[in-house]
Amino acid sequence: MVVVVAAAIIGLACGLSGTGAGLDDLLQRQRWALRNHDASGDIHIVEIDARSIAAIAHWPWPRRAHAQLIDRLRREGASTIAFDVDFSARSRADDDAALVAALRRAGGGVVLPTFRQRAASERSDWIDSLPFPEARSEAVLAAVSVRPDPDGYVRQMPVGIVTRGFPRPSLSAMVAQASGRAGDDFTVDYSIDPKSIPRHSFIDILQGRIDVGALKGKRVLVGSTAIELGDHYAVPRYGVIPGVVIQALAAETLNGGRFRHISWPVPLAAALLVAFGLLRLRTGKRLALASVGSVALFFAVSLAAEQWLRAIVPLAPALVAIAFAAIASAVARLAADAERRQLVDAESGLPNKAAMLRWLAAHPFEAVVVARVTGFERLAAALGADQMGETIRRLHDRVALAVDGVPVFRIEDALLAWPATTEHRAVLDERLSALRTTMLNPIEVRGRRADVILNFGVADRGHGSPAQLIALAGLASEQARESHSGWRVHHGSDNAQIDREVSLLGELDEAVRDGSLEVVYQPKLDLKTNRIVSTEALVRWRHPVLGPLGPDAFIPLAERHDRILPLTSFVLRRALRDSADWRAQGHSVSVAVNISSLLVSSAEFFAVVTEIVGDADFVRGGLVFEVTESAAFTDPDGAVRALKAFRSMGIAISMDDYGTGQSTLSYLQQLPLDELKIDRRFVQHAHLQAGDAVLVRSTIDMAHQLGLKVVAEGVEDRPCLDFLTSIGCDMVQGYLVGKPAASAALMKQLKTSVSKAA
C-alpha cells in the first residue's frame, strides 16, 4: 500500500507540474501516426507558390489578380472562397476597385482575413488588422491568427477571436461552418496527411489549367506556400509547413468534430488500481508482462477514445505512476531475491551458513552438529557439478529424515549442519549411529551410485557464539575423520588445544619469514654404483619453547590453515641453495622436495616454482618433486597438466608412498613420472615376509617396464638391503643409508660409500 500511495503522489506531482508534457506529446505523435489517414477532399488549397510569383512577376500582386481568381473560382463552382492573404492596406485605387467589384459579384460568398498581432516585440498591447473598408463591407470576415505553443509548435487553433471589439469566427471554423465561442481553442488533428489535401497553383487557376468540375462544390482556401513569403510554422509530425495548410488541417479537424480533453486525474485513478494489482504478482516474469501489458492497454484505450469518441486522454501521470509501482515492486523483488540468494547455497539450492546463523539467532537449541563428507573433492571430481549438487540434495534428504524435521543447512562444500534441540540432544549418539548406518547404502544419482561417508562433530551450546559453535563442530568433525571415530563431541578442554594451534600457527609464520626453520637431508643410495646420488629435503622446527618439532606437529596444521605454500616455498629455496653448494664441491646430487596434495594443481604454486627455478642456480634433473597418490587422485586432469608442466621445466617427478593408495597400471601410464617410492611398511620386512616380497618385486618389475626408477624407503638393516639389491631395486633410503642430516653433515657423507659406513 505504501508503494501505491507513493505512486499516487508521483503521478499527482507529474500532472500538476506539467513535467509529463513531453511524454504526452510523444504518445500523441504515436497515436496520430497509428490513425494516419487522408483528408476528406472537400477542402482545396489554392497556393501562392513560387511558380505563381514568378509568373506574375512582382510582389505584392495587383489586387486585380485576386479579383480574377475570385471570378474564376465562382465560375468553377467553388462553394466557399476564403483568403489567408492580408488586404488591410490600400493599394492602387483601380486594383482595389477591381477587388471590391469581384467581391460584390460573389454576393458575400468570400471570406477575408483579420489579423491580431503585437504592436512591438517589447510591448504587450495588440493591433487588429482588418481588410480595407470597401472590401470589408462586401465580404465575410474571419480571424486567421496562429498561436504556437511555448516550444514553437502549433497544436491548438482558435474557434473564434475578438478583433476590433467584435467576436469573429476563425478562418478554419468559417470554412468548416463550425460554431463556437471566441476565445475557445481546439486541437488540430495531425493524423490527417497534409499531402492528401488537394492543392492548385494560383497561376494555373488564372490561366484555366484545371480539370473541369474539380472545384465544383468545394471549399477553397487561398494562401501562400512559397518559402520566400515566410508564412510557415512548425507543427508536430510534419515539421515546418505553410500557414494556409495548417488552416486547412484545422478545418478538416472541425469537419470531424472538436476533440474533448479528458482530465489527467481520470486515467491516474485507473492507473493506481493497476499499480495495486501489480504489487500482488508473485513472479518477476508476471510483473514484467503485466507492467508492459498495462502500459499497452492504457495506450490502446487512449487511441480508441481518440478515434471513436474524439477524446484526447493525457497518459503521462498515469504511466509514471504505473512505472513507479512496477520499478518499486521489481526493486523490492530483486532485494528479496538477493537476500534469498545470500541464504541459499548456489550448487545445491539448500539453505547455507548465513541462513543457519539466522535460524540459530531466532530459535532455541542445545547443540550444533556438523556432518563432514569424507573425500568430498574426489567425489566432486568424479560426479561433476550438476550431479554433485543433486547428490548433496539426496544426502540432505537422508539427513533431514534422520534428524526428525529440524532444518539442515549446507555450510560449506563438504559440510552439512543442523541444530540439535533439547529432545534431539538427549538421543544424539543414537541418531548419529543410525545415520552412519544409513549411509552404508550408496546414493544413486542419474544411474550412478556414490558411496558417501560422513564424520560428525558436535559442539554444545555454551562454548561460544553460534558462529563459533559451527566452527567448533566443523573442527570436531575433522578430528573424527582423522581419528576414524565416526563422531566427536567438542569439549571445553579442546579450546586450549585450539589456542595452542593458533599460537603455533602464528609462530610458524614468523619462523618461515625469518628463516629459523631447519632443512635436513636424508640420502638415497644408488645400488648399482653404491654411491649417494639423491637426497630428500625434510623440514624441522626447533621451537624456542617446545623444543624440536617433527613435521607431523606442524605440517598438517599448515595444510589445514592455508600456510603450506609459504612453507613449501621456504624448503624449496633452501634445498636449491644447498644443492648448488654441493655441486660447487664437486658432488652432483639431486634433491627431492615433498609437495602437498593441496599444491600440485595450484596455479599460485606453479607461479612460485617458476620464479624460484628462474632465480636459483638450477640444473635440469637436479630437483625432484615427490607427490603422493592422493595428490594425483584429487584432481586427475589438473595433476597431469601440472606435473607435465613441472617436468618440462626439468623437474623430475616421483610418486611417494606408493602402495598405500589406489593407483592402477593404466593410471600410472597417464602420469609423467620418473620414479616410484615404495612405502616403508612394505619394504622393512620384505626379506622376511613372502607377501611383502611379492608386492615389492612386482612393483619393481612393473616400474621398470614403464621406464621408471624405484626407490625403496625404510631400509634399516643389511639383509633388507641385500634383498632389494638382488631383485633389481634402483635406490634405497633409510637409517642404514643415513639419517636426516644438515647440509654440512651430508657433505661429509657424500665422500663415503654405504658399504664402508655399514
Side-chain angles (χ1 to χ4, degrees), residues 347 373-395 410 413 439 442-453 633-637:
E347 184 179 49
V373 179
T374 301
F376 175 84
E377 291 80 7
R378 183 177 301 175
L379 195 62
L383 294 178
D386 290 345
Q387 294 188 31
M388 196 62 205
E390 190 171 342
T391 301
I392 292 297
R393 288 192 294 274
R394 297 284 181 87
L395 175 60
R410 190 187 190 192
D413 285 349
M439 295 313 301
I443 294 176
E444 187 169 333
V445 177
R446 303 181 192 177
R448 300 184 66 178
R449 295 161 64 87
D451 289 311
V452 179
I453 301 173
F633 274 109
T634 299
D635 178 12
D637 294 339

Side-chain angles (χ1 to χ4, degrees), residues 392-415:
I392 292 297
R393 288 192 294 274
R394 297 284 181 87
L395 175 60
H396 167 273
D397 294 342
R398 286 195 188 182
V399 173
L401 185 63
V403 300
D404 196 22
V406 297
V408 179
F409 305 85
R410 190 187 190 192
I411 60 172
E412 290 183 18
D413 285 349
L415 302 181

Side-chain angles (χ1 to χ4, degrees), residues 611-635:
E611 177 190 353
I612 292 175
V613 168
D615 293 344
D617 184 7
F618 174 72
V619 175
R620 295 181 66 87
L623 176 63
V624 181
F625 278 174
E626 293 190 2
V627 299
T628 62
E629 292 181 76
S630 61
F633 274 109
T634 299
D635 178 12

Side-chain angles (χ1 to χ4, degrees), residues 193-256:
D193 185 357
K195 293 181 180 178
S196 67
I197 300 173
R199 295 164 69 163
H200 312 278
S201 176
F202 193 107
I203 193 62
D204 287 343
I205 299 293
L206 287 187
Q207 295 177 356
R209 293 194 295 270
I210 184 172
D211 294 338
V212 176
L215 294 177
K216 185 175 181 59
K218 306 301 182 182
R219 290 168 280 177
V220 177
L221 277 166
V222 182
S224 167
T225 61
I227 294 293
E228 54 267 36
L229 297 184
D231 187 25
H232 286 69
Y233 300 88
V235 300
R237 285 197 73 197
Y238 303 117
V240 176
I241 62 176
V244 69
V245 176
I246 297 175
Q247 298 287 356
L249 288 172
E252 288 279 358
T253 300
L254 292 176
N255 279 343

Side-chain angles (χ1 to χ4, degrees), residues 510-714:
E510 186 176 349
V512 170
R513 286 194 299 269
D514 64 22
S516 61
L517 295 175
E518 182 181 7
V519 177
V520 296
Y521 303 92
Q522 187 169 24
K524 301 177 186 178
L525 179 71
D526 187 311
L527 294 181
K528 291 182 179 179
T529 64
N530 201 33
R531 299 193 64 83
I532 294 170
V533 295
S534 183
T535 63
E536 179 180 359
L538 303 168
V539 64
R540 299 290 186 266
W541 185 7
R542 296 189 181 277
H543 193 277
V545 176
L546 302 177
L549 296 177
D552 291 345
F554 59 90
I555 287 182
L557 184 67
E559 288 183 321
R560 285 198 302 270
H561 295 277
D562 199 25
R563 303 296 203 282
I564 194 63
L565 175 57
L567 179 59
T568 304
S569 301
F570 168 81
V571 174
L572 183 57
R573 291 180 189 276
R574 179 67 60 85
L576 287 177
R577 188 188 70 186
D578 289 342
S579 66
D581 291 341
W582 304 335
R583 285 195 302 275
Q585 297 294 324
H587 304 291
S588 180
V589 178
S590 64
V591 60
V593 177
N594 290 283
I595 307 301
S596 168
S597 62
L598 301 177
L599 296 179
V600 171
S601 303
S602 165
E604 187 177 5
F605 176 63
F606 183 82
V608 169
V609 172
T610 303
E611 177 190 353
I612 292 175
V613 168
D615 293 344
D617 184 7
F618 174 72
V619 175
R620 295 181 66 87
L623 176 63
V624 181
F625 278 174
E626 293 190 2
V627 299
T628 62
E629 292 181 76
S630 61
F633 274 109
T634 299
D635 178 12
D637 294 339
V640 170
R641 287 194 299 271
L643 295 178
K644 285 183 177 179
F646 290 137
R647 205 174 183 206
S648 68
M649 294 182 190
I651 301 171
I653 308 298
S654 173
M655 178 171 282
D656 197 11
D657 299 334
Y658 181 77
T660 61
Q662 305 175 40
S663 295
T664 63
L665 179 61
S666 61
Y667 186 66
L668 287 176
Q669 288 178 309
Q670 298 175 30
L671 294 175
L673 299 177
D674 295 281
E675 69 178 33
L676 291 183
K677 291 187 72 175
I678 305 176
D679 188 77
R680 62 181 300 115
R681 74 184 71 176
F682 305 109
V683 172
Q684 277 184 311
H685 306 294
H687 61 293
L688 300 174
Q689 297 181 3
D692 288 348
V694 170
L695 187 147
V696 172
R697 182 182 285 108
S698 63
T699 298
I700 292 172
D701 291 342
M702 177 196 68
H704 286 167
Q705 291 177 20
L706 293 175
L708 306 179
K709 291 185 177 181
V710 180
V711 180
E713 297 181 289

